[in-house]
């Protein structure tokens, strides 16, 4: 496989930015099996917890519904108000069940990806009108996965319900010989068992579907290497722009160095490839400070500025290379170079006070230029 083909494959895990953008667009993992199981299971548990309250309210509602006031026959127009009152009483009787199921409907989104509101998800997507997209949805991997889930749903729920019915066949036949109230109690108990078994089967299916939906969501958001490079380029900035910024920063730093060279006491050179300008003020500085340093063209520029401002230039190749490797701009020189630099400064001070007679002899600097420390 060629490099271009490999670059087009989505082999890279999605970045945090891609995941964040997907969530902002309303693209988050969702499991319909988990949502169905959560609402159904919560409804069954609510029925078990509030069975007494709901049954008493339902009994009173049925009595009212089946025993209307005789005066309603004489006033048919009042039937609409009566029906509305019956509806409100029914809702009042079922409100615990409705409220618990409503709260349970938020459980699946919270577990899968959180509750998020996105206006972008409400916008129409005309790509879904494409016949090719429709064919992919009908015969693609997603359709196969949904078909497999449907088979599993039938198998799980059917097996659970069938087992309950199979073991409860005798009790169902016995209901015919029981009093009405006892039959109702036993019948409701059987119904709850059936619903519990069905809810358990739904939860088992949701336990498989929820991880799959999250894995499938991450798979769809995978990125190609080109997409990953493009995103890094957008987030960190173009290499050309960053290079230009570094160039401007270097130019600014060089300008500041050149402005500091006239204030130096001495420039130690190599004699042409390295140049380091040093400044020392007794009582203000603990040691000589590097005010400029450079190689090649920068070193030549330092020499020119030093010549133009009558700053002493001393040729000491090992010391110049050592100062460049270990010195830092604006910082004091390394301790191990104190002695060598002191000889250079002493020579410079002698030149400043020389008014005739024998010329001060240039010092013979002996320093290990590859000592500890150094510039990478």
């Amino acid at each position: 496989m060629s490099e271009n083909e490999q670059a087009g494959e989505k082999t890279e895990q999605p970045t945090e930015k891609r995941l964040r953008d997907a969530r902002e667009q309303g693209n988050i993992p969702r499991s319909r099996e988990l949502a169905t199981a959560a609402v159904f299971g919560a409804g069954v548990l609510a029925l078990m917890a509030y069975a007494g309250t709901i049954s008493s309210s339902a009994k009173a509602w049925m009595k009212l519904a089946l025993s209307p006031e005789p005066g309603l026959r004489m006033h048919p127009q009042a039937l609409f108000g009566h029906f509305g009152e019956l509806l409100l009483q029914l809702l009042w009787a079922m409100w615990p069940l409705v409220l618990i199921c409503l709260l349970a409907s938020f459980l699946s989104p919270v577990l899968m990806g959180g509750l998020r509101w996105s206006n972008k998800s409400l916008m129409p997507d005309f790509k879904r009108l494409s016949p090719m997209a429709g064919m992919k949805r009908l015969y693609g991997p997603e359709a196969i996965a949904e078909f497999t889930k449907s088979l599993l749903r039938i198998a799980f729920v059917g097996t659970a319900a069938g087992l309950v019915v199979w073991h409860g066949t005798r009790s169902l036949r016995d209901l015919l010989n029981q009093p009405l109230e006892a039959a109702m109690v036993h019948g409701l108990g059987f119904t709850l068992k059936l619903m519990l078994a069905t809810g358990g089967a739904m939860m088992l299916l949701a336990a498989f579907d929820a991880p799959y939906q999250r894995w499938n969501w991450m798979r769809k958001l995978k990125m190609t290497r080109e997409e990953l490079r493009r995103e890094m380029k957008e987030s960190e900035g173009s290499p050309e722009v960053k290079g230009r910024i570094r160039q401007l920063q270097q130019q600014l730093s060089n300008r500041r160095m050149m402005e500091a060279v006239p204030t130096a006491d001495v420039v130690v050179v190599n004699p042409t490839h390295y140049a380091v300008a040093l400044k020392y003020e007794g009582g203000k500085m603990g040691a000589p400070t590097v005010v400029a340093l450079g190689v090649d063209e920068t070193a030549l520029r330092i020499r020119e500025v030093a010549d133009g401002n009558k700053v002493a230039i001393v040729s000491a190749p090992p010391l110049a290379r050592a100062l460049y490797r270990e010195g830092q701009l604006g910082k004091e020189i390394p301790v191990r170079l104190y002695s060598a630099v002191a000889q250079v400064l002493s020579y410079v001070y002698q030149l400043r006070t020389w008014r005739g007679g024998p010329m001060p002899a240039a010092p013979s600097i002996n320093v290990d230029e590859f000592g500890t420390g150094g510039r990478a």
Side-chain angles (χ1 to χ4, degrees):
M1 185 177 293
S2 66
E3 183 178 354
N4 292 334
E5 292 175 342
Q6 291 180 355
E9 293 182 355
K10 294 187 176 184
T11 58
E12 307 299 323
Q13 292 297 325
T15 61
E16 287 298 326
K17 181 180 181 302
R18 189 176 181 89
L19 294 176
R20 184 172 60 254
D21 292 343
R23 293 189 182 99
E24 291 176 354
Q25 294 173 1
N27 181 10
I28 51 181
R30 287 289 181 255
S31 173
R32 285 181 290 181
E33 306 300 330
L34 180 59
T36 303
V39 174
F40 187 83
V44 174
L45 295 178
L47 282 175
M48 296 178 63
Y50 296 96
T53 303
I54 294 176
S55 62
S56 61
S57 299
K59 183 178 179 180
W61 180 84
M62 290 185 66
K63 182 178 180 180
L64 180 63
L66 298 177
S67 303
E69 296 181 3
L72 292 175
R73 300 177 183 177
M74 305 301 296
H75 303 282
Q77 66 275 10
L79 290 175
F80 293 100
H82 179 66
F83 291 152
E85 182 180 354
L86 289 177
L87 180 60
L88 290 176
Q89 290 185 2
L90 178 62
L91 293 177
W92 178 255
M94 301 299 294
W95 77 264
L97 178 62
V98 174
L99 179 61
I100 291 176
C101 291
L102 180 61
L103 294 177
S105 65
F106 293 98
L107 180 62
S108 174
V110 170
L111 293 178
M112 293 297 295
L115 295 175
R116 293 182 179 272
W117 176 264
S118 175
N119 294 329
K120 295 181 179 179
S121 60
L122 300 178
M123 300 298 294
D125 187 3
F126 295 101
K127 294 181 180 179
R128 294 181 175 272
L129 300 178
S130 171
M132 295 300 297
M135 294 295 292
K136 289 182 179 179
R137 286 196 300 269
L138 290 176
Y139 301 102
E142 297 293 331
I144 297 176
E146 291 298 325
F147 179 71
T148 304
K149 283 197 304 180
S150 299
L151 295 179
L152 291 176
R153 188 183 304 113
I154 295 173
F156 287 10
V157 175
T159 301
L163 290 176
V164 173
V165 173
W166 175 265
H167 290 288
T169 303
R170 177 175 297 180
S171 62
L172 289 176
R173 288 199 301 262
D174 294 341
L175 294 178
L176 299 175
N177 302 322
Q178 296 177 2
L180 179 59
E181 292 185 358
M184 290 181 62
V185 172
H186 293 155
L188 289 174
F190 176 81
T191 303
L192 284 177
K193 289 181 182 179
L194 182 62
M195 295 176 70
L196 281 174
T198 304
M202 290 181 177
M203 289 301 298
L204 181 61
L205 181 60
F208 289 99
D209 183 63
Y212 166 76
Q213 294 296 340
R214 184 160 187 85
W215 171 84
N216 192 36
W217 179 69
M218 293 289 290
R219 179 186 63 83
K220 291 180 179 179
L221 292 179
K222 279 187 174 182
M223 308 171 67
T224 64
R225 295 181 180 178
E226 179 61 28
E227 290 175 336
L228 187 61
R229 284 194 292 265
R230 191 184 308 117
E231 182 176 302
M232 293 179 62
K233 190 175 183 179
E234 292 175 354
S235 60
E236 297 180 3
S238 171
E240 293 79 6
V241 175
K242 291 164 62 177
R244 179 58 179 168
I245 292 175
R246 285 195 297 267
Q247 182 181 4
L248 293 175
Q249 290 175 341
Q250 185 64 38
Q251 292 177 357
L252 181 60
S253 177
N254 290 340
R255 187 180 302 113
R256 290 175 178 173
M257 281 198 316
M258 298 309 167
E259 292 174 354
V261 170
T263 66
D265 293 309
V266 64
V267 175
V268 184
V269 298
N270 180 32
T272 56
H273 295 292
Y274 291 82
V276 180
L278 303 176
K279 180 179 180 180
Y280 178 68
E281 296 181 9
K284 295 183 179 179
M285 298 180 179
T289 301
V290 178
V291 296
L293 75 169
V295 295
D296 298 332
E297 294 182 2
T298 304
L300 179 61
R301 180 61 180 156
I302 292 174
R303 288 174 58 94
E304 292 176 351
V305 175
D307 282 334
N309 291 272
K310 299 182 179 180
V311 177
I313 299 176
V314 176
S315 177
L319 178 59
R321 291 190 290 266
L323 285 170
Y324 178 80
R325 290 190 178 94
E326 301 179 33
Q328 296 183 25
L329 189 64
K331 301 294 183 65
E332 296 180 353
I333 63 174
V335 176
R336 77 178 194 91
L337 302 178
Y338 279 6
S339 177
V341 172
Q343 297 180 54
V344 173
L345 290 176
S346 176
Y347 171 67
V348 172
Y349 295 153
Q350 292 179 28
L351 289 178
R352 290 180 180 176
T353 58
W354 178 69
R355 293 294 184 270
M359 184 78 173
S364 177
I365 307 298
N366 185 14
V367 64
D368 180 12
E369 63 177 284
F370 299 103
T372 58
R375 184 190 306 274

